[in-house]
Amino acid sequence: MTGDKIIELKGVERHYVQGARKLTILNGVEFSLRRGEMVALVAPSGAGKSTLLHTAGLLERPDAGDVILGGRACGRLSDDERTAIRRNDIGFVYQFHHLLPEFSALENIMMPQLVKGLPPAEASARAAQLLDYMQIGKRGHHRPAELSGGEQQRVAIARAVANAPLVLLADEPTGNLDPVTASYVFDALAALVRQSGLAALIATHNHELAARMDRRVTLSEGKVVPI
């Protein structure tokens, strides 16, 4: 099921300054994800889940330590290099879908591929394939406002993996959904992870869904620890 390490956080620290106070959010984090592995990040609000996801996703720079993605040290790369890695190798899913309202579901999934430089025909074919995989192929030409909450989030997941990333980072991806819809969306996400072999770190307050992942971790005193 799992193979080599795809992403590693080595001694990662993240601090913020508030007036005269220095707040330590991440304190020497040691953590890794393997290919095809789904890990649940379960921690209370304010514990640093978003900071961990943003640092792992190269949206924030570590103050110390490094993020190794696909064997490449990324913590000290230039902004342009980090942007290119995010575009090609990291997928993000948030609690709110953040789909572009003026475009159809198919077009939303095409967008990251077009930015990467794929020809429109190839991007469209890939988007249609992902919609079919997420079992909403017939909804491809509908705009987000015409889709249900579960359909919108499945489109968001398909968009996140459109460029075949190495890692998927999700922050409460089912947080706005009712339990039945949340379970259905999670099943679709899990199937996609298994089929594609990417590594997924999913922050969630849903303990039932967390229990269905390969392992669970939390944040304690700025460190990632198993549950």
Side-chain angles (χ1 to χ4, degrees):
M1 177 181 61
T2 60
D4 295 335
K5 293 178 181 178
I6 295 298
I7 186 171
E8 297 178 79
L9 276 64
K10 293 188 172 183
V12 167
E13 296 183 11
R14 196 74 179 92
H15 312 286
Y16 299 100
V17 176
Q18 288 187 343
R21 297 178 58 207
K22 179 181 178 182
L23 300 178
T24 297
I25 307 300
L26 303 179
N27 187 21
V29 167
E30 300 284 342
F31 178 69
S32 64
L33 288 170
R34 296 182 181 275
R35 187 181 304 278
E37 182 180 40
M38 293 184 73
V39 176
L41 174 59
V42 183
S45 298
K49 295 192 303 295
S50 294
T51 298
L52 179 65
L53 289 170
H54 290 170
T55 304
L58 308 184
L59 292 168
E60 297 185 23
R61 291 183 184 274
D63 295 303
D66 210 341
V67 178
I68 314 297
L69 181 62
R72 183 183 185 186
C74 300
R76 302 295 175 262
L77 296 178
S78 69
D79 289 342
D80 287 346
E81 289 173 314
R82 290 157 63 86
T83 297
I85 292 172
R86 286 197 303 271
R87 181 173 62 239
N88 297 325
D89 295 331
I90 303 173
F92 296 92
V93 181
Y94 298 98
Q95 183 170 344
F96 186 70
H97 55 76
H98 294 299
L99 298 174
L100 299 173
E102 65 271 30
F103 295 102
S104 69
L106 185 81
E107 291 166 336
N108 267 278
I109 301 169
M110 289 175 63
M111 287 298 173
Q113 301 177 77
L114 296 176
V115 171
K116 186 177 180 180
L118 267 67
E122 187 176 340
S124 178
R126 165 77 171 163
Q129 181 183 41
L130 284 167
L131 284 168
D132 285 340
Y133 194 86
M134 300 300 284
Q135 300 183 8
I136 48 173
K138 295 181 180 180
R139 308 289 280 166
H141 295 290
H142 290 72
R143 294 186 179 184
E146 301 170 311
L147 303 175
S148 70
E151 289 170 338
Q152 290 170 345
Q153 200 64 324
R154 277 181 276 168
V155 173
I157 292 168
R159 180 183 59 184
V161 301
N163 283 338
L166 298 175
V167 176
L168 180 69
L169 302 173
D171 195 353
E172 296 289 347
T174 63
N176 285 334
L177 306 176
D178 65 82
V180 172
T181 303
S183 181
Y184 193 85
V185 169
F186 176 82
D187 287 342
L189 173 58
L192 193 58
V193 169
R194 306 301 187 213
Q195 187 272 339
S196 63
L198 60 79
L201 177 62
I202 302 172
T204 181
H205 284 107
N206 188 322
H207 290 274
E208 180 181 341
L209 294 184
R212 292 162 62 183
M213 299 190 214
D214 297 310
R215 56 190 172 101
R216 295 172 296 159
V217 299
T218 190
L219 281 160
S220 177
E221 298 181 350
K223 299 183 186 297
V224 174
V225 295
I227 298 177

Coordinates of all heavy atoms in Angstrom, one line a residue, residues 27-96:
N27 N 7.6 23.2 16.5 CA 8.8 23.2 17.4 C 9.6 21.9 17.1 O 9.5 20.9 17.8 CB 8.4 23.3 18.8 CG 9.6 23.4 19.7 OD1 10.7 23.8 19.3 ND2 9.4 23.1 21.0
G28 N 10.3 21.9 16.0 CA 11.1 20.7 15.6 C 10.3 19.6 15.1 O 10.6 18.4 15.5
V29 N 9.4 19.8 14.2 CA 8.5 18.8 13.7 C 9.3 17.8 12.8 O 10.1 18.2 11.9 CB 7.4 19.4 12.8 CG1 6.7 18.3 12.0 CG2 6.4 20.1 13.7
E30 N 9.1 16.5 13.1 CA 9.6 15.4 12.3 C 8.5 14.6 11.8 O 7.7 14.0 12.6 CB 10.6 14.5 13.2 CG 11.8 15.2 13.8 CD 12.9 15.5 12.7 OE1 12.8 14.8 11.7 OE2 13.7 16.3 13.0
F31 N 8.3 14.5 10.5 CA 7.1 13.9 10.0 C 7.3 13.6 8.5 O 8.0 14.2 7.8 CB 5.9 14.9 10.1 CG 4.6 14.3 9.5 CD1 3.9 13.3 10.1 CD2 4.0 14.9 8.4 CE1 2.7 12.8 9.6 CE2 2.9 14.4 7.8 CZ 2.2 13.4 8.5
S32 N 6.7 12.5 8.1 CA 6.8 12.1 6.7 C 5.5 11.4 6.2 O 4.8 10.9 7.0 CB 8.0 11.2 6.5 OG 7.8 9.9 7.1
L33 N 5.3 11.4 4.9 CA 4.2 10.7 4.2 C 4.8 9.8 3.1 O 5.7 10.2 2.4 CB 3.3 11.7 3.6 CG 2.4 12.6 4.5 CD1 1.7 13.6 3.7 CD2 1.3 11.7 5.2
R34 N 4.2 8.6 3.0 CA 4.6 7.7 2.0 C 3.6 7.6 0.8 O 2.5 8.0 1.0 CB 4.8 6.3 2.6 CG 5.9 6.3 3.6 CD 6.1 4.9 4.2 NE 7.2 4.8 5.2 CZ 8.5 4.7 4.9 NH1 8.9 4.6 3.7 NH2 9.4 4.7 5.9
R35 N 4.1 7.1 -0.3 CA 3.2 7.0 -1.5 C 2.0 6.2 -1.1 O 2.1 5.1 -0.5 CB 4.0 6.4 -2.6 CG 3.3 6.3 -3.9 CD 4.2 5.6 -5.0 NE 5.5 6.2 -5.1 CZ 5.8 7.3 -5.8 NH1 4.8 7.9 -6.5 NH2 7.0 7.8 -5.9
G36 N 0.8 6.7 -1.6 CA -0.4 6.0 -1.4 C -0.9 6.0 0.0 O -1.9 5.2 0.4
E37 N -0.4 6.8 0.9 CA -0.8 6.8 2.3 C -1.7 8.0 2.6 O -1.4 9.1 2.2 CB 0.5 6.9 3.2 CG 0.2 6.9 4.7 CD 1.5 7.0 5.5 OE1 2.4 7.8 5.2 OE2 1.6 6.3 6.5
M38 N -2.7 7.7 3.4 CA -3.6 8.8 3.9 C -3.4 8.9 5.4 O -3.6 7.9 6.1 CB -5.1 8.4 3.6 CG -5.5 8.4 2.1 SD -7.2 8.1 1.9 CE -7.9 9.7 2.4
V39 N -3.1 10.1 5.8 CA -2.9 10.4 7.3 C -3.8 11.4 7.7 O -4.0 12.5 7.1 CB -1.4 10.8 7.5 CG1 -1.2 11.1 9.0 CG2 -0.5 9.7 7.1
A40 N -4.5 11.2 8.8 CA -5.4 12.1 9.4 C -4.7 13.0 10.4 O -4.0 12.5 11.3 CB -6.6 11.4 10.1
L41 N -4.8 14.3 10.3 CA -4.3 15.3 11.3 C -5.5 15.8 12.1 O -6.3 16.5 11.7 CB -3.6 16.4 10.5 CG -3.1 17.6 11.4 CD1 -2.1 17.1 12.4 CD2 -2.5 18.7 10.5
V42 N -5.5 15.3 13.4 CA -6.6 15.6 14.3 C -6.1 16.4 15.4 O -5.2 15.9 16.2 CB -7.3 14.3 14.8 CG1 -8.5 14.7 15.7 CG2 -7.7 13.5 13.6
A43 N -6.5 17.7 15.6 CA -6.0 18.5 16.6 C -7.0 19.7 16.8 O -7.7 20.1 15.9 CB -4.6 19.1 16.3
P44 N -7.1 20.2 18.1 CA -8.0 21.3 18.3 C -7.6 22.6 17.6 O -6.5 22.7 17.1 CB -7.9 21.5 19.8 CG -6.6 21.0 20.2 CD -6.3 19.9 19.3
S45 N -8.6 23.5 17.4 CA -8.3 24.8 16.8 C -7.2 25.5 17.6 O -7.2 25.5 18.8 CB -9.6 25.6 16.8 OG -10.6 25.0 16.0
G46 N -6.4 26.1 16.8 CA -5.3 26.9 17.4 C -4.0 26.1 17.7 O -3.0 26.6 18.2
A47 N -4.1 24.8 17.4 CA -2.9 23.9 17.7 C -1.8 24.0 16.7 O -0.7 23.6 16.9 CB -3.3 22.4 17.8
G48 N -2.2 24.6 15.5 CA -1.2 24.7 14.4 C -1.4 23.9 13.2 O -0.5 23.8 12.4
K49 N -2.6 23.4 13.0 CA -2.9 22.5 11.8 C -2.6 23.3 10.5 O -2.0 22.8 9.6 CB -4.3 22.0 11.9 CG -4.6 21.0 13.0 CD -5.9 20.3 12.8 CE -7.1 21.3 12.6 NZ -7.4 22.1 13.9
S50 N -3.2 24.4 10.4 CA -3.1 25.2 9.2 C -1.6 25.6 8.9 O -1.1 25.6 7.8 CB -3.9 26.5 9.2 OG -5.3 26.1 9.2
T51 N -0.9 25.9 10.0 CA 0.5 26.3 9.9 C 1.3 25.1 9.4 O 2.2 25.2 8.5 CB 1.1 26.8 11.2 OG1 0.4 28.0 11.6 CG2 2.6 27.1 11.1
L52 N 1.0 23.9 9.9 CA 1.7 22.7 9.4 C 1.4 22.4 7.9 O 2.3 22.2 7.2 CB 1.3 21.5 10.3 CG 1.9 20.2 9.9 CD1 3.4 20.2 10.1 CD2 1.2 19.0 10.7
L53 N 0.1 22.6 7.6 CA -0.3 22.3 6.2 C 0.4 23.4 5.2 O 0.9 23.0 4.2 CB -1.8 22.4 6.0 CG -2.5 21.2 6.6 CD1 -4.0 21.5 6.6 CD2 -2.3 19.9 5.9
H54 N 0.4 24.6 5.7 CA 1.0 25.7 4.8 C 2.5 25.5 4.7 O 3.0 25.8 3.6 CB 0.6 27.0 5.4 CG -0.8 27.4 5.3 ND1 -1.3 28.5 6.0 CD2 -1.8 26.9 4.7 CE1 -2.6 28.6 5.7 NE2 -2.9 27.6 4.9
T55 N 3.1 25.1 5.7 CA 4.6 24.9 5.7 C 4.9 23.7 4.8 O 5.8 23.7 4.0 CB 5.2 24.7 7.1 OG1 4.8 25.8 7.9 CG2 6.7 24.6 7.0
A56 N 4.2 22.6 5.0 CA 4.4 21.4 4.2 C 4.1 21.7 2.7 O 4.7 21.1 1.8 CB 3.5 20.2 4.7
G57 N 3.1 22.6 2.5 CA 2.7 22.9 1.1 C 3.5 24.0 0.5 O 3.2 24.5 -0.6
L58 N 4.6 24.5 1.2 CA 5.5 25.5 0.7 C 4.8 26.9 0.5 O 5.3 27.7 -0.2 CB 6.1 25.1 -0.6 CG 6.8 23.7 -0.7 CD1 7.5 23.5 -2.0 CD2 7.8 23.6 0.5
L59 N 3.7 27.1 1.3 CA 3.1 28.4 1.3 C 3.8 29.3 2.3 O 3.7 30.5 2.2 CB 1.6 28.3 1.6 CG 0.7 27.6 0.5 CD1 -0.6 27.3 1.1 CD2 0.6 28.6 -0.7
E60 N 4.4 28.7 3.3 CA 5.1 29.4 4.4 C 6.5 28.7 4.4 O 6.7 27.5 4.3 CB 4.5 29.3 5.7 CG 3.1 30.0 5.8 CD 2.5 30.0 7.2 OE1 3.3 29.9 8.2 OE2 1.3 30.1 7.3
R61 N 7.5 29.6 4.7 CA 8.9 29.1 4.9 C 9.1 28.6 6.3 O 8.7 29.4 7.3 CB 9.9 30.1 4.5 CG 10.0 30.5 3.1 CD 11.1 31.5 2.8 NE 11.1 31.9 1.4 CZ 11.7 31.3 0.5 NH1 12.4 30.2 0.7 NH2 11.7 31.8 -0.8
P62 N 9.8 27.5 6.6 CA 10.1 27.2 7.9 C 11.2 28.1 8.5 O 12.1 28.6 7.7 CB 10.7 25.7 7.8 CG 11.1 25.6 6.4 CD 10.2 26.5 5.6
D63 N 11.1 28.5 9.7 CA 12.1 29.3 10.4 C 13.4 28.5 10.6 O 14.5 29.0 10.8 CB 11.6 29.9 11.7 CG 10.4 30.9 11.4 OD1 10.7 31.8 10.6 OD2 9.4 30.7 11.9
A64 N 13.2 27.2 10.8 CA 14.4 26.3 10.9 C 13.9 24.9 10.4 O 12.7 24.6 10.2 CB 14.8 26.2 12.4
G65 N 14.9 24.1 10.0 CA 14.6 22.8 9.5 C 14.3 22.9 8.0 O 14.5 23.9 7.3
D66 N 13.7 21.8 7.4 CA 13.5 21.8 6.0 C 12.4 20.9 5.6 O 11.9 20.0 6.4 CB 14.8 21.3 5.2 CG 14.9 21.9 3.8 OD1 13.9 22.5 3.3 OD2 16.0 21.9 3.3
V67 N 11.8 21.2 4.4 CA 10.8 20.3 3.8 C 11.4 19.7 2.6 O 11.9 20.3 1.7 CB 9.6 21.2 3.4 CG1 8.5 20.3 2.7 CG2 9.0 21.9 4.6
I68 N 11.4 18.3 2.6 CA 11.9 17.5 1.5 C 10.8 16.9 0.7 O 10.0 16.2 1.2 CB 12.8 16.4 2.0 CG1 13.8 16.9 3.1 CG2 13.6 15.7 0.9 CD1 14.8 17.9 2.7
L69 N 10.7 17.3 -0.5 CA 9.6 16.8 -1.4 C 10.2 16.1 -2.6 O 10.9 16.7 -3.4 CB 8.7 18.0 -1.9 CG 7.5 17.6 -2.8 CD1 6.6 16.7 -2.0 CD2 6.8 18.9 -3.2
G70 N 9.8 14.8 -2.7 CA 10.4 14.0 -3.8 C 11.9 14.0 -3.8 O 12.5 13.9 -4.8
G71 N 12.5 14.0 -2.6 CA 13.9 14.0 -2.4 C 14.6 15.3 -2.6 O 15.9 15.4 -2.5
R72 N 13.9 16.4 -2.8 CA 14.4 17.7 -3.0 C 14.2 18.6 -1.8 O 13.1 18.7 -1.4 CB 13.8 18.3 -4.3 CG 14.4 19.7 -4.7 CD 13.7 20.3 -5.9 NE 14.3 21.5 -6.3 CZ 13.8 22.3 -7.3 NH1 12.6 22.0 -7.9 NH2 14.4 23.4 -7.6
A73 N 15.2 19.2 -1.3 CA 15.1 20.2 -0.2 C 14.5 21.5 -0.7 O 15.0 22.1 -1.7 CB 16.5 20.5 0.4
C74 N 13.4 21.9 -0.1 CA 12.6 23.0 -0.7 C 12.5 24.2 0.2 O 12.1 25.3 -0.2 CB 11.1 22.5 -0.9 SG 11.0 21.2 -2.1
G75 N 13.0 24.1 1.5 CA 12.8 25.2 2.4 C 13.5 26.5 2.1 O 13.0 27.6 2.4
R76 N 14.6 26.4 1.3 CA 15.3 27.7 1.0 C 15.3 28.0 -0.5 O 16.1 28.9 -0.9 CB 16.8 27.5 1.5 CG 16.9 27.2 2.9 CD 16.5 28.3 3.8 NE 16.5 28.0 5.2 CZ 15.5 27.6 6.0 NH1 14.3 27.5 5.4 NH2 15.6 27.3 7.2
L77 N 14.4 27.4 -1.2 CA 14.3 27.8 -2.6 C 13.7 29.2 -2.8 O 13.0 29.7 -1.9 CB 13.4 26.7 -3.3 CG 13.9 25.3 -3.4 CD1 12.9 24.4 -4.1 CD2 15.2 25.2 -4.1
S78 N 13.9 29.7 -4.0 CA 13.3 31.0 -4.3 C 11.8 30.9 -4.4 O 11.2 29.9 -4.5 CB 13.8 31.5 -5.6 OG 13.3 30.8 -6.7
D79 N 11.1 32.1 -4.3 CA 9.7 32.1 -4.4 C 9.2 31.5 -5.7 O 8.2 30.8 -5.8 CB 9.2 33.6 -4.3 CG 9.3 34.1 -2.9 OD1 9.5 33.3 -2.0 OD2 9.2 35.3 -2.7
D80 N 9.9 31.8 -6.8 CA 9.5 31.3 -8.1 C 9.6 29.8 -8.2 O 8.7 29.1 -8.7 CB 10.3 31.9 -9.3 CG 10.0 33.3 -9.5 OD1 8.9 33.8 -9.1 OD2 10.7 34.0 -10.2
E81 N 10.7 29.2 -7.6 CA 10.9 27.8 -7.6 C 9.8 27.1 -6.7 O 9.3 26.1 -7.1 CB 12.3 27.5 -7.0 CG 13.4 27.8 -8.0 CD 14.8 27.6 -7.3 OE1 14.9 28.1 -6.2 OE2 15.6 27.0 -8.0
R82 N 9.5 27.7 -5.6 CA 8.4 27.2 -4.7 C 7.1 27.2 -5.4 O 6.3 26.3 -5.3 CB 8.4 27.9 -3.4 CG 9.7 27.7 -2.5 CD 9.9 28.8 -1.5 NE 8.8 29.0 -0.6 CZ 8.7 28.3 0.5 NH1 9.6 27.4 0.9 NH2 7.7 28.5 1.4
T83 N 6.8 28.3 -6.1 CA 5.5 28.4 -6.8 C 5.4 27.3 -7.9 O 4.3 26.7 -8.0 CB 5.4 29.8 -7.5 OG1 5.4 30.8 -6.5 CG2 4.1 29.9 -8.3
A84 N 6.5 27.0 -8.6 CA 6.5 26.0 -9.6 C 6.2 24.6 -9.0 O 5.5 23.8 -9.5 CB 7.8 26.0 -10.4
I85 N 6.8 24.4 -7.9 CA 6.6 23.1 -7.2 C 5.2 22.9 -6.7 O 4.6 21.9 -6.8 CB 7.6 22.9 -6.0 CG1 9.0 22.8 -6.5 CG2 7.3 21.7 -5.1 CD1 10.1 22.8 -5.5
R86 N 4.6 24.0 -6.1 CA 3.2 24.0 -5.7 C 2.3 23.7 -6.9 O 1.3 22.9 -6.8 CB 2.8 25.3 -5.0 CG 3.4 25.5 -3.6 CD 2.6 26.6 -2.9 NE 2.7 27.9 -3.6 CZ 3.6 28.8 -3.5 NH1 4.6 28.6 -2.6 NH2 3.5 29.9 -4.1
R87 N 2.6 24.3 -8.0 CA 1.7 24.1 -9.2 C 1.8 22.7 -9.7 O 0.8 22.2 -10.1 CB 2.2 25.1 -10.3 CG 1.3 25.1 -11.5 CD 1.7 26.2 -12.5 NE 3.1 26.1 -12.9 CZ 4.0 27.0 -12.8 NH1 3.7 28.1 -12.1 NH2 5.2 26.8 -13.2
N88 N 2.9 22.1 -9.7 CA 3.1 20.8 -10.3 C 3.0 19.6 -9.3 O 2.6 18.5 -9.8 CB 4.5 20.7 -11.0 CG 4.6 21.8 -12.1 OD1 3.6 22.0 -12.8 ND2 5.8 22.3 -12.3
D89 N 3.4 19.8 -8.1 CA 3.6 18.6 -7.2 C 2.8 18.6 -6.0 O 2.8 17.6 -5.2 CB 5.1 18.5 -6.8 CG 6.0 18.3 -8.0 OD1 5.6 17.7 -8.9 OD2 7.2 18.7 -7.9
I90 N 2.0 19.7 -5.7 CA 1.2 19.7 -4.5 C -0.2 20.1 -4.8 O -0.4 21.1 -5.6 CB 1.8 20.8 -3.5 CG1 3.3 20.4 -3.2 CG2 1.0 20.8 -2.2 CD1 4.0 21.5 -2.3
G91 N -1.2 19.4 -4.3 CA -2.6 19.7 -4.5 C -3.2 20.2 -3.1 O -2.8 19.6 -2.1
F92 N -4.0 21.2 -3.2 CA -4.6 21.7 -2.0 C -6.2 21.6 -2.1 O -6.8 21.9 -3.1 CB -4.3 23.2 -1.8 CG -2.8 23.4 -1.5 CD1 -2.0 23.7 -2.6 CD2 -2.3 23.4 -0.3 CE1 -0.6 24.0 -2.4 CE2 -0.9 23.7 0.0 CZ -0.1 24.0 -1.1
V93 N -6.8 21.1 -1.0 CA -8.3 21.1 -0.8 C -8.6 21.8 0.5 O -8.0 21.4 1.5 CB -8.8 19.7 -0.9 CG1 -10.4 19.8 -0.8 CG2 -8.4 19.0 -2.2
Y94 N -9.6 22.7 0.4 CA -9.9 23.4 1.6 C -11.4 23.1 2.0 O -12.1 22.4 1.3 CB -9.8 25.0 1.4 CG -8.3 25.4 1.1 CD1 -7.9 25.6 -0.2 CD2 -7.4 25.5 2.2 CE1 -6.6 25.9 -0.4 CE2 -6.1 25.9 1.9 CZ -5.7 26.1 0.6 OH -4.4 26.4 0.4
Q95 N -11.8 23.6 3.2 CA -13.2 23.4 3.7 C -14.2 23.9 2.7 O -15.2 23.3 2.4 CB -13.4 24.0 5.1 CG -14.7 23.7 5.7 CD -14.8 24.1 7.1 OE1 -13.8 24.3 7.8 NE2 -16.0 24.2 7.7
F96 N -13.9 25.1 2.2 CA -14.8 25.7 1.2 C -14.1 25.5 -0.2 O -12.9 25.6 -0.3 CB -14.9 27.2 1.4 CG -15.9 27.9 0.5 CD1 -17.3 27.6 0.6 CD2 -15.5 28.7 -0.6 CE1 -18.2 28.2 -0.3 CE2 -16.4 29.3 -1.4 CZ -17.7 29.1 -1.3

